[in-house]
Amino acid sequence: MTRTKDTGPHAVTSAGAAAGAPDGRIPVVVHAPDPLSQAGVLSHLRQHPLIDLVTEEGAGPGAVAVLLAWTLEESTLALLRRLVRSEGARVVLVVSRIREAELLEVVECGAVAIVWRHEATAHRLATAVRAAFRGDGDLPADLLGRLIQQVGALQRSVANRAGPPSSGLTPREADVLRLVAEGLDTGEIASKLSYSERTVKNVMHGLTTRLHLRNRAHAVAYALREGYI
């Protein structure tokens, strides 16, 4: 897997970049399967004034990792897990195809955003990177629909179990996650529920921390699977 080695005007190599550059730019490291793909993504991302391209050594926890793959081989999933769990990265997965059996695994591994390779324009990549850095998440509409169907099937398969779930959601948490599942961002959720954006962020942080969920997509999957939304 080829990794970022950039010396352009937006390159950053210092550790601790994850907090963001002093001028508010976003540290991004790129992992690609071949030099040509690597060069294409770097060229796209270099156009954005708020993105700093960094090496893996210079990307601290909270940096965005753009991970390119044609299909989800086990080596790709292993790298995704390492980036999220060991390095604290917020991963944007750019992939050509995801099989039905892989979708939940990708979400549970911790991918914050997913972009189809054929849709990976400079604008689309930058949008996904910004969403991942904020922790908002970004899934293609067709994948979100497939995810809801899969989790719904899982939910139905455990519907006959006795007793309530061991860890529940508060009504406010369920309301927020219901709107997340509909694709609304933090500002739209705050407006819809007459909350401040800080309150929405606190609700999301509280439930993901308490239930050991990795990101918004994982939280939605949990809530659907457990029947809260």
Side-chain angles (χ1 to χ4, degrees):
M1 187 73 67
T2 306
R3 298 184 177 89
T4 303
K5 290 187 178 180
D6 189 68
T7 56
H10 301 310
V12 171
T13 58
S14 61
D23 55 4
R25 289 184 291 176
I26 302 170
V28 178
V29 59
V30 176
H31 299 259
D34 60 83
L36 185 60
S37 297
Q38 179 88 0
V41 174
L42 290 175
S43 176
H44 279 338
L45 294 177
R46 196 177 291 119
Q47 300 174 32
H48 198 285
L50 293 182
I51 289 177
D52 272 322
L53 298 172
V54 305
T55 63
E56 187 172 8
E57 293 75 16
V64 176
V66 177
L67 173 58
L68 275 76
W70 292 105
T71 57
L72 291 178
E73 307 297 335
E74 181 52 42
S75 59
T76 304
L77 291 172
L79 177 56
L80 171 57
R81 295 187 194 99
R82 177 174 68 80
L83 290 171
V84 173
R85 300 175 186 179
S86 299
E87 301 183 14
R90 299 167 182 177
V91 175
V92 175
L93 177 64
V94 183
V95 66
S96 296
R97 182 168 62 93
I98 296 179
R99 292 185 290 267
E100 293 294 330
E102 297 168 334
L103 183 53
L104 272 177
E105 184 173 9
V106 167
V107 171
E108 293 183 344
C109 280
V112 180
I114 300 174
V115 176
W116 293 126
R117 285 187 73 130
H118 68 273
E119 296 178 350
T121 62
H123 175 74
R124 183 70 186 87
L125 285 173
T127 298
V129 164
R130 294 197 305 271
F133 189 68
R134 294 192 306 266
D136 286 345
D138 188 348
L139 294 179
D142 58 330
L143 274 189
L144 182 58
R146 285 164 55 187
L147 179 63
I148 290 173
Q149 288 178 354
Q150 285 195 24
V151 175
L154 284 175
Q155 178 186 330
R156 289 189 294 274
S157 73
V158 298
N160 294 326
R161 68 185 179 185
S166 58
S167 297
L169 297 179
T170 68
R172 182 163 67 170
E173 289 171 341
D175 287 342
V176 169
L177 280 181
R178 192 173 295 109
L179 296 177
V180 171
E182 293 176 7
L184 277 65
D185 62 24
T186 300
E188 292 168 330
I189 293 170
S191 176
K192 192 86 170 177
L193 297 177
S194 298
Y195 295 157
S196 68
E197 290 192 25
R198 179 180 295 275
T199 295
V200 174
K201 291 177 180 178
N202 287 341
V203 169
M204 288 301 304
H205 176 74
L207 74 91
T208 54
T209 300
R210 188 179 78 253
L211 300 176
H212 307 290
L213 304 169
R214 297 189 185 91
N215 51 51
R216 288 188 173 206
H218 194 190
V220 169
Y222 167 84
L224 286 166
R225 182 170 59 228
E226 298 297 328
Y228 291 110
I229 63 175

